[in-house]
Amino acid sequence: MPPHCDSLDGPVVRAAIEALAARDVDLVLPYVPADGEDEVRAGFALVLQARDTGTAARAVADRYLFETVVRVHRAGEGAAFTGLKPAGLDVGPVLPLAEKAVERGVADEVVDFLANELREQVKHRLDRVSERTPRSNATVAEVRAYVRAMLDFEVYTHHLHQAIRSGGHAHAG
């Protein structure tokens, strides 16, 4: 997964910033599983108190909250928390398109991008199969290279189909 949910400019931290600004923990709770709510609520209450004691305390408290909500969010996905990632990391071409689609309610740019990527990748893999099609007096090594390319193509398309039909964002349980 590209750096996104665990980055300082990702959706989880953005929600935490909004929650702090509004002093409303409910704005960040949708990003954590229900069984993590108590921990986030308790941490949020402490952070609000600490933020009022000075600039340095505010920075430390905010960082604590960001780490807490991201850690609890990641645990809900069944993933390890490996620390907060800096803002501005390259998340690839499709996440910005997906975020724009969510904002606008229009999927066309995402669909077009993914359709083009899919077309290029499937064609590339099928070309590899065609290039390795054995002639009648092929060696075992040549036929083996063909089989590897053929199986790569078939398994790749199978996994694509599974991904297309999947439920999306995987959460534990």
Side-chain angles (χ1 to χ4, degrees):
M1 178 88 178
H4 189 245
C5 288
D6 57 355
S7 67
L8 287 170
D9 58 352
V12 179
V13 172
R14 285 195 313 256
I17 291 169
E18 290 175 20
L20 287 170
R23 299 178 71 87
D24 182 0
V25 71
D26 288 348
L27 297 176
V28 74
L29 290 179
Y31 289 87
V32 299
D35 64 357
E37 277 190 30
D38 290 343
E39 180 179 358
V40 172
R41 285 182 188 281
F44 190 84
L46 290 172
V47 166
L48 289 180
Q49 291 174 24
R51 291 179 103 228
D52 294 336
T53 64
T55 306
R58 181 183 186 108
V60 171
D62 287 3
R63 182 72 181 210
Y64 167 79
L65 180 66
F66 301 160
E67 289 178 351
T68 299
V69 296
V70 169
R71 179 179 47 76
V72 174
H73 170 83
R74 299 283 291 156
E77 296 175 323
F81 173 64
T82 58
L84 291 175
K85 308 301 183 277
L89 293 176
D90 181 7
V91 295
V94 77
L95 276 177
L97 292 174
E99 288 175 338
K100 192 186 322 181
V102 169
E103 289 171 17
R104 295 180 180 171
V106 178
D108 293 350
E109 286 184 64
V110 176
V111 170
D112 291 345
F113 177 83
L114 292 174
N116 287 332
E117 286 285 312
L118 175 62
R119 186 177 299 104
E120 288 176 20
Q121 287 299 316
V122 170
K123 183 180 179 331
H124 169 73
R125 283 173 167 78
L126 185 57
D127 287 347
R128 284 183 37 216
V129 174
S130 297
E131 291 165 3
R132 288 163 177 77
T133 300
R135 58 191 191 292
S136 61
N137 61 345
T139 67
V140 171
E142 290 170 331
V143 176
R144 186 175 290 128
Y146 168 79
V147 168
R148 275 195 308 268
M150 179 261 305
L151 291 175
D152 174 67
F153 176 76
E154 291 176 0
V155 170
Y156 179 76
T157 59
H158 173 73
H159 288 163
L160 281 171
H161 183 254
Q162 287 180 318
I164 289 167
R165 302 296 305 252
S166 78
H169 190 73
H171 286 271

